[in-house]
Amino acid sequence: MKLAYLNDIFSSINAVNRSLQGYSATVIDFVDKLRAFQMKLKLWQEKVTAGRQELENDFPDITDLDCQLIRNPLEVDPTSLPDELQQEFIEFVNDSTAKDSFDSLSLTRFWSTMACSYPTLAKNCVRNLLMFPSTYRCE
């Protein structure tokens, strides 16, 4: 029974690993999948009441605010952002051309195109968006 349980766990780990690979994988995808996997681990841990999982220390620190700013920027409260982003962000959310582009482009392409108009905001988003989500290519 223990062997079957370990097989299930390793199958899940392999599935997460495969889902994080590829040219179009972004940190946002990585964070979503990692959070789901961490919740699964906690569930499994409660079921077997053994050991403690410490995955939080092994992965990049990207906040919910960072994810929301990248994925749903029009829903972010400007006062929740760092001071250096607030004024540029207010200009951004009132730019109808940027809003139209956001709906029609991928996240990576959108934030790359915003670099000219909103350099500080775009730099922050692109840095978080393009963090290397996996080390499999380095290894």
Side-chain angles (χ1 to χ4, degrees), residues 63 65-66 68-70 73 76-90 92-93 121 124-125:
T63 65
L65 179 60
D66 291 328
Q68 186 177 10
L69 178 60
I70 293 167
V76 173
D77 176 13
T79 61
S80 66
L81 296 172
D83 291 342
E84 65 271 9
L85 295 178
Q86 289 178 354
Q87 291 185 26
E88 192 172 278
F89 179 77
I90 290 171
F92 164 76
V93 295
L121 182 63
N124 178 72
C125 292

Side-chain angles (χ1 to χ4, degrees), residues 88-107:
E88 192 172 278
F89 179 77
I90 290 171
E91 292 174 21
F92 164 76
V93 295
N94 288 290
D95 182 346
S96 58
T97 304
K99 289 178 187 177
D100 293 341
S101 296
F102 183 78
D103 292 333
S104 63
L105 298 173
S106 70
L107 292 175

Side-chain angles (χ1 to χ4, degrees), residues 94-139:
N94 288 290
D95 182 346
S96 58
T97 304
K99 289 178 187 177
D100 293 341
S101 296
F102 183 78
D103 292 333
S104 63
L105 298 173
S106 70
L107 292 175
T108 309
R109 184 164 299 234
F110 172 76
W111 284 111
S112 297
T113 60
M114 292 294 110
C116 293
S117 304
Y118 307 102
T120 308
L121 182 63
K123 181 180 177 183
N124 178 72
C125 292
V126 168
R127 181 184 66 239
N128 286 323
L129 186 62
L130 297 180
M131 263 198 228
F132 206 69
S134 177
T135 60
Y136 80 99
R137 292 204 175 161
C138 297
E139 297 169 355

Side-chain angles (χ1 to χ4, degrees), residues 1-18 36-53 55:
M1 187 164 88
K2 289 180 182 179
L3 185 58
Y5 198 73
L6 281 174
N7 182 50
D8 290 345
I9 290 173
F10 283 110
S11 293
S12 295
I13 291 170
N14 286 334
V16 169
N17 184 34
R18 282 190 307 273
F37 187 68
Q38 286 174 316
M39 288 178 73
K40 289 178 186 178
L41 285 174
K42 288 178 184 174
L43 175 67
W44 297 336
Q45 182 180 6
E46 290 173 7
K47 288 184 177 182
V48 296
T49 62
R52 182 173 170 199
Q53 305 295 333
L55 288 179

